[in-house]
Structure formats: C-alpha cells, structure tokens
Amino acid sequence: MDFFGGEHMSKEEWNSPEILYGAALDPNSIGPTFSPIPSAQILTGPTGPTGATGPQGNTGAQGPTGLQGSSGLQGPAGIQGPTGLQGPTGLQGPTGLQGPTGLQGPTGLQGPTGLQGPAGIQGPTGATGTQGNTGALGPTGLQGPSGVQGSTGPTGLQGITGPTGPTGNQTSEPCFQDIETTLQHCIGRMVSLLLSGCCDPIQGQVLNVGNGSIRFSSENGTRVIAICNIASITSIFLAYITNLNDNTVSIINTATNTITGTPIPVGNNPISIAITPDGTRAYVANRGDGTVSVINTATNTITGTPIPVEGGPSSIAITPDGTRAYVANRSSDTVSVIDTSTNTIIGAPISVGTEPFAIAITPDGTRAYVANFLGKTVSVIDTSTNTTIGAPIFLGFNPLGIAITPNGGFAYVPSSGGNTVFVIDTSTNTIIGAPISVGNDPFAIAFTPNGSFAYITNSSDNTVSVINTSTNTVIGAPISVGNDPLGIAITPVGTRAYVTNSNDNTVSVINTSTNIIIGAPISVGNVPFGIAITPDFI
C-alpha cells in the first residue's frame, strides 16, 4: 500500500548516491547505516589582539529571489569544530526557495567549546545559505554546510480503538451512598419505586441487592433495575388480618387497597396478630388450639411449628426491641412469654386477672398492660422480671381492648359494659379523669403515630369513634363502617385506619384527615378479627 499519497521509490532508489548527496554534503555521516569518516580537525592558534572596529560598510542591494530547489533528505549534522575568528559579513544575496524538511539524524555528543577569536569588522549582511540537516552531536569542530531540507513524511494511519474495559465497582457512586443501605433493608419487602425519567411508580418486592442493581418482582414479572436509576423508594404497608372461622390470614396492600396473594393457613381460630418492629415476622394467636403461628413476611409462609402456649390465647404483643412476644391466655388467666430468637416459651406463665383479653406494651418495653375482661381490671407486668406490679387497676366494667400512647404516658382502655374509655396514667397506674363516653360496646383502640387521636371500634353500633387525646373528648360524629367492627390498625404514616368488620367479612378504610370512608369495603376471609400493619422500614 502507498502511504505517501503518490508514487514511491524503492529502497535502492532511496539509498542511491544522488539522493544521499541531496540529503547532505557528508553522506558518510548519516546515522549508523553508513561508515563514518574521520572528522576534519583544525588546530586553533593563540588569540590575537582585538582589532579596531572599522567603519560599517554599505548594505548591498538585495538580489532577486531564486527558484525553490527540490527537497532532499535531511542529513546528519556535521561535527562542530571550535569557533573560528568571525569574518566580515558579506553582502546579502538573494533568498533561495526553501526545500522540504529532510530526515533528522541522531544527536551526537556535544564537544568542548573552542576559543573565541577577535571580532572582525562587521561587513554587509551576506546571503542566507541553504539549511543543512542536523548530524550527530560530537566534539565541537568545523560547522558543516547546511543540507537541503527534506520533505515531511506522510501521517501514519490511526490505530483502531481497543475494546471498552469492564465497569468497576460502583460503590462510590452518590446514589449508592444515598440508598444502597435502604435497599438492603427492603429485601423481601413490598416497596414503591420511582425511576428516573419514569412517570408512574412501580410496585413490587425487592428480591435481592448487589452489583449495582436490584432484582425486583412485580405483577409484570421479575426484572433487574440499576440502583442509580432509582429516584425514590417508599414503603408499601401491608395489613395482615386474622380470619377467625377460616383459620387463615389475609393480606391487604394498603397502597391499592386490594388483596395480595392467597390467604395463609395458620392454627385454629386465629384471633390476634402482631408484627415484629423490623417487619420480618408476624405472630398469630390461635385461640382454638392454644398455639402461636409465625409467618415469614418476606415469603408469607409459616416458619417452624406452632408454639404451644396456655389455653385460649386471645391477644399478642411484641416488645419494641422485637426479642419477646407476650400472649394473653384468656382461658388460663395467664400471660405466656415467647423468646422470638428461638420461638420457645420463657419461664412459667405469669398469673394476671380473670379472662385476660387484650395486652399492650409500653414504648420503652419495660411494662406490659393486660386488660382482664371478667376481672374488670388491668394488670401491670414488669417485663424485666415478668412479675406483676402492685394490685390490678380496677375499672368496674369489662375491658376488651387496650393501647398505650406513643409517648408511653397513658393507657386507654375501652370497656364494653359502660360504653366508655378509661385513661390510666402509667407513671402512677391510676385512672385519671372521668371515663370518655363513646359508642355501644367499644372493642379495640388504635392511636395515630403522633398520639393526637385515638380511634375506637364500637361493635354494636357499627361505628368508629375518634377521641382528641389532648382534651380526652370525642370529636365529630361516629364514622359508619361495616357490621360488627372489631379490630383496628392505623398505618405508620397515620393517613389511614383499617377496620375489620366481623359480620360481613370485610375491611373498611378511613381517611384520617377527613374521617370519611375511602372506597368500598375490602372483602377478606370469614369473620375477620385481629389486624396488624407492617412498620415503615425505610
């Protein structure tokens, strides 16, 4: 292939004497290819006295410009001799045409500088000679004549681009620093993702996280999503409902208010449910067979065998650190304690009042409050010793539910006999103020996350009452729900309250900002009873 863009000479033609002579007057010193000849050496005499400067001669007339000669190869520079006496400047001749640049020879070693002779009288400027090529730098000798400048060689072809290397570890990306840890907590959880450049969030389950991406399962199948394409993540809260006569647990996606998956089989007559603070497990009290079932919320399947407790378990609560589950056993007047790390019973059952029906634990985990239905009292358990503290707190009516305010300062107890809610000061374990009148047969109670409002199901009125906890007064009219409302739970963000309607097998949803029902009731299993909602894990 001709890389010079035209005709090219053979190797023999390039090495011909004519070409070499055009490249330099001394072809024998062109690089290592040719045999060197001895350098001429001029002996330098002693320096004479400096002569007087003569008058400056007249500048000669500039001659016409000569034709440009052809460019030869650039020869090596001659060996530089010592500097001789500077002669007078000759008249400047016409400027010749500049030839092409020759090939550059190797640089020689620099020789010593010769003695400087006296300055001569400056004459007129002589004509510029042709430029010689640079030879090897040797000791300073006589300066060789300038060779004709050779032509510039053509530009070589550009090499091909190599393949792109593998992507490195992306853990230094800002998006990783922001959300990778959050995504790790979301494994097995239902979330809503907003992707960069996408309009609508997508809902599904995070299967795993790694190598800069997540595996995400949704109704459209499983896909891999780059972490840096995720603009935001929000929890999807799942409501778990015990179906007393179906021996199952149904799950509602609170983002869509639709059933997700199939009902989970548990023990006989599941009546109450509680979810661990990390949201990984749900504990179900089975009244009919005296056991507790454990659900893995990532797979919504039963883990292990049912845990035997005492007779007639009716309510269950889990400590804030998730290490213990306390179970109120209505038929045996006791409370059983489960170690959630091993799912085994700890110690002997704790004796409380008659027919304990509901149980709640303070936010600091130090005490458990037990509502005793037939005893018309509330027992208090010290969770560090699992023994009762003082005498039961007497109400005078039959309590069916109990809940502790988020700040731990008060226990609210609905009592069916008097259609009221009692308020207990947990610092003194005494009742404060008059009981708050609500609807007929108040059953269960739940607080908004900020503790400002308490929602109470009135089972015989088919309503829900709302109490302002700063004044302990009922606000607004009762909210109509389904038939025989029993259980109630509020989402972790406090925007929705979910109510189990045991006689029409549905769940009603209340907008807590307006206290108005949202949409149609959601159909679940037979006789929905207890309800619990997963925590916010983001």
Side-chain angles (χ1 to χ4, degrees), residues 369-408:
Y369 284 73
V370 184
N372 304 303
F373 178 73
L374 281 186
K376 300 180 181 180
T377 60
V378 171
S379 297
V380 184
I381 297 172
D382 181 338
T383 58
S384 64
T385 61
N386 285 335
T387 56
T388 55
I389 299 173
I393 304 166
F394 185 72
L395 304 176
F397 294 98
N398 306 101
L400 286 170
I402 191 167
I404 312 292
T405 54
N407 65 6

Coordinates of all heavy atoms in Angstrom, one line a residue, residues 369-408:
Y369 N -49.3 -4.1 79.8 CA -50.6 -3.8 80.5 C -51.6 -4.8 79.9 O -51.7 -4.9 78.7 CB -51.0 -2.4 80.2 CG -50.3 -1.4 81.1 CD1 -49.0 -1.0 80.8 CD2 -51.0 -0.7 82.2 CE1 -48.3 -0.1 81.6 CE2 -50.3 0.2 83.0 CZ -49.0 0.5 82.7 OH -48.3 1.4 83.5
V370 N -52.3 -5.5 80.8 CA -53.2 -6.6 80.4 C -54.7 -6.2 80.9 O -54.9 -6.0 82.1 CB -52.8 -7.9 81.1 CG1 -53.7 -9.0 80.6 CG2 -51.4 -8.2 80.8
A371 N -55.6 -6.2 79.9 CA -57.0 -5.9 80.2 C -57.7 -7.3 80.5 O -57.8 -8.2 79.7 CB -57.7 -5.3 79.0
N372 N -58.2 -7.4 81.8 CA -58.8 -8.6 82.2 C -60.4 -8.4 82.1 O -61.0 -7.7 82.9 CB -58.5 -8.9 83.7 CG -56.9 -9.0 83.8 OD1 -56.3 -9.8 83.2 ND2 -56.4 -8.2 84.7
F373 N -61.0 -9.2 81.1 CA -62.4 -8.9 80.8 C -63.3 -9.2 82.0 O -64.0 -8.3 82.4 CB -62.8 -9.8 79.6 CG -64.2 -9.7 79.2 CD1 -64.7 -8.5 78.6 CD2 -65.1 -10.7 79.5 CE1 -66.0 -8.4 78.2 CE2 -66.5 -10.6 79.2 CZ -66.9 -9.4 78.5
L374 N -63.3 -10.4 82.5 CA -64.2 -10.7 83.6 C -63.8 -10.1 84.9 O -64.5 -9.8 85.8 CB -64.4 -12.2 83.8 CG -65.4 -12.9 82.8 CD1 -65.6 -14.4 83.2 CD2 -66.7 -12.2 82.8
G375 N -62.5 -9.9 85.1 CA -62.0 -9.3 86.3 C -62.2 -7.8 86.4 O -62.1 -7.2 87.5
K376 N -62.6 -7.2 85.2 CA -62.9 -5.8 85.2 C -61.7 -4.9 85.7 O -61.8 -3.9 86.3 CB -64.1 -5.4 86.0 CG -65.4 -6.1 85.5 CD -66.6 -5.8 86.3 CE -67.8 -6.5 85.8 NZ -69.0 -6.2 86.6
T377 N -60.5 -5.5 85.4 CA -59.3 -4.8 85.9 C -58.2 -4.8 84.8 O -58.4 -5.4 83.7 CB -58.7 -5.6 87.1 OG1 -58.3 -6.9 86.7 CG2 -59.6 -5.6 88.3
V378 N -57.1 -4.1 85.1 CA -55.9 -4.0 84.3 C -54.7 -4.4 85.2 O -54.5 -3.8 86.2 CB -55.7 -2.7 83.7 CG1 -54.3 -2.6 83.0 CG2 -56.8 -2.3 82.7
S379 N -54.0 -5.5 84.7 CA -52.8 -5.9 85.4 C -51.6 -5.3 84.8 O -51.6 -5.1 83.5 CB -52.7 -7.4 85.4 OG -53.8 -8.0 86.1
V380 N -50.5 -5.1 85.5 CA -49.3 -4.5 85.0 C -48.2 -5.4 85.3 O -47.9 -5.8 86.4 CB -49.0 -3.1 85.6 CG1 -47.8 -2.5 85.0 CG2 -50.2 -2.2 85.5
I381 N -47.4 -5.8 84.2 CA -46.3 -6.7 84.3 C -45.0 -5.9 84.1 O -44.8 -5.1 83.2 CB -46.4 -7.8 83.3 CG1 -47.6 -8.6 83.5 CG2 -45.1 -8.7 83.3 CD1 -47.9 -9.6 82.4
D382 N -44.0 -6.2 85.0 CA -42.6 -5.7 84.9 C -41.9 -6.7 84.0 O -41.7 -7.8 84.3 CB -42.0 -5.7 86.3 CG -40.5 -5.1 86.2 OD1 -39.9 -5.2 85.1 OD2 -40.0 -4.7 87.2
T383 N -41.6 -6.2 82.8 CA -41.0 -7.2 81.8 C -39.6 -7.6 82.1 O -39.1 -8.5 81.5 CB -41.1 -6.5 80.4 OG1 -40.3 -5.3 80.4 CG2 -42.5 -6.3 79.9
S384 N -38.9 -6.9 83.0 CA -37.6 -7.3 83.4 C -37.6 -8.5 84.3 O -36.6 -9.3 84.3 CB -36.8 -6.1 84.1 OG -37.4 -5.8 85.3
T385 N -38.7 -8.6 85.0 CA -38.8 -9.8 86.0 C -39.9 -10.7 85.6 O -40.0 -11.8 86.1 CB -39.0 -9.3 87.4 OG1 -40.2 -8.5 87.4 CG2 -37.8 -8.4 87.9
N386 N -40.8 -10.2 84.7 CA -42.0 -11.0 84.3 C -42.9 -11.3 85.5 O -43.3 -12.5 85.7 CB -41.7 -12.2 83.5 CG -41.2 -11.9 82.1 OD1 -41.6 -10.8 81.5 ND2 -40.5 -12.7 81.4
T387 N -43.0 -10.3 86.4 CA -43.9 -10.4 87.5 C -44.8 -9.2 87.5 O -44.5 -8.2 86.9 CB -43.1 -10.5 88.8 OG1 -42.3 -9.3 88.9 CG2 -42.3 -11.7 88.9
T388 N -46.0 -9.3 88.1 CA -46.9 -8.2 88.2 C -46.5 -7.2 89.2 O -45.8 -7.5 90.2 CB -48.4 -8.7 88.5 OG1 -48.3 -9.4 89.8 CG2 -48.9 -9.6 87.4
I389 N -46.9 -5.9 88.9 CA -46.5 -4.8 89.7 C -47.8 -4.4 90.5 O -48.8 -4.0 89.8 CB -46.0 -3.6 88.9 CG1 -44.7 -4.0 88.1 CG2 -45.7 -2.4 89.8 CD1 -44.2 -3.0 87.2
G390 N -47.8 -4.4 91.8 CA -48.9 -3.9 92.6 C -50.2 -4.6 92.4 O -50.2 -5.7 91.7
A391 N -51.3 -4.0 92.8 CA -52.6 -4.6 92.7 C -53.2 -4.3 91.3 O -52.8 -3.2 90.7 CB -53.5 -4.1 93.8
P392 N -54.1 -5.1 90.8 CA -54.7 -4.8 89.5 C -55.4 -3.4 89.6 O -56.0 -3.1 90.7 CB -55.6 -5.9 89.3 CG -55.1 -7.1 90.1 CD -54.5 -6.4 91.3
I393 N -55.5 -2.7 88.5 CA -56.2 -1.4 88.5 C -57.7 -1.7 88.2 O -58.0 -2.2 87.1 CB -55.6 -0.5 87.4 CG1 -54.1 -0.3 87.6 CG2 -56.3 0.8 87.3 CD1 -53.3 0.3 86.4
F394 N -58.5 -1.3 89.1 CA -60.0 -1.7 89.0 C -60.7 -0.6 88.1 O -60.6 0.6 88.3 CB -60.6 -1.7 90.4 CG -62.0 -2.2 90.3 CD1 -62.4 -3.5 90.1 CD2 -63.1 -1.3 90.6 CE1 -63.7 -3.9 90.0 CE2 -64.4 -1.7 90.5 CZ -64.7 -3.0 90.3
L395 N -61.5 -1.2 87.2 CA -62.3 -0.3 86.3 C -63.7 -0.3 86.6 O -64.4 0.7 86.5 CB -62.1 -0.7 84.8 CG -60.6 -0.8 84.3 CD1 -60.6 -1.4 82.9 CD2 -60.0 0.5 84.3
G396 N -64.3 -1.5 87.0 CA -65.7 -1.6 87.2 C -66.5 -2.0 86.0 O -67.7 -2.3 86.1
F397 N -65.9 -2.0 84.9 CA -66.5 -2.5 83.6 C -65.6 -3.5 82.9 O -64.4 -3.6 83.2 CB -66.9 -1.3 82.7 CG -68.0 -0.4 83.3 CD1 -67.6 0.8 83.9 CD2 -69.3 -0.8 83.2 CE1 -68.6 1.6 84.5 CE2 -70.3 0.1 83.8 CZ -69.9 1.3 84.4
N398 N -66.2 -4.2 81.9 CA -65.4 -5.2 81.2 C -64.6 -4.7 80.1 O -65.1 -4.4 79.0 CB -66.4 -6.3 80.7 CG -67.4 -6.8 81.8 OD1 -68.5 -6.4 81.8 ND2 -66.9 -7.7 82.6
P399 N -63.3 -4.7 80.3 CA -62.4 -4.2 79.2 C -62.2 -5.2 78.1 O -62.0 -6.4 78.4 CB -61.1 -3.9 80.0 CG -61.1 -4.9 81.1 CD -62.5 -5.0 81.5
L400 N -62.2 -4.8 76.9 CA -62.0 -5.7 75.7 C -60.7 -5.3 74.9 O -60.2 -6.1 74.2 CB -63.2 -5.7 74.8 CG -64.4 -6.4 75.3 CD1 -65.6 -6.1 74.4 CD2 -64.2 -7.9 75.3
G401 N -60.3 -4.1 75.1 CA -59.1 -3.7 74.4 C -58.2 -2.8 75.3 O -58.6 -2.3 76.3
I402 N -57.0 -2.5 74.8 CA -56.1 -1.6 75.5 C -55.0 -1.2 74.5 O -54.6 -1.9 73.6 CB -55.5 -2.3 76.7 CG1 -54.7 -1.3 77.6 CG2 -54.5 -3.4 76.3 CD1 -54.4 -1.8 79.0
A403 N -54.6 0.1 74.6 CA -53.4 0.6 73.8 C -52.7 1.7 74.6 O -53.3 2.4 75.5 CB -54.0 1.2 72.5
I404 N -51.4 1.8 74.4 CA -50.6 2.8 75.1 C -50.3 3.9 74.1 O -50.0 3.7 72.9 CB -49.2 2.1 75.5 CG1 -49.5 0.8 76.2 CG2 -48.4 3.1 76.4 CD1 -50.2 0.9 77.6
T405 N -50.3 5.1 74.6 CA -50.0 6.3 73.7 C -48.5 6.2 73.3 O -47.7 5.6 74.0 CB -50.2 7.6 74.5 OG1 -49.5 7.6 75.7 CG2 -51.7 7.8 74.8
P406 N -48.2 6.8 72.1 CA -46.9 6.7 71.6 C -45.8 7.2 72.5 O -44.6 6.8 72.5 CB -46.9 7.5 70.3 CG -48.4 7.4 69.8 CD -49.2 7.4 71.1
N407 N -46.2 8.2 73.4 CA -45.2 8.7 74.3 C -45.1 7.9 75.6 O -44.3 8.2 76.5 CB -45.5 10.2 74.7 CG -46.8 10.4 75.4 OD1 -47.4 9.4 75.8 ND2 -47.2 11.6 75.6
G408 N -45.9 6.8 75.7 CA -45.9 5.9 76.9 C -46.5 6.5 78.1 O -46.5 5.8 79.2

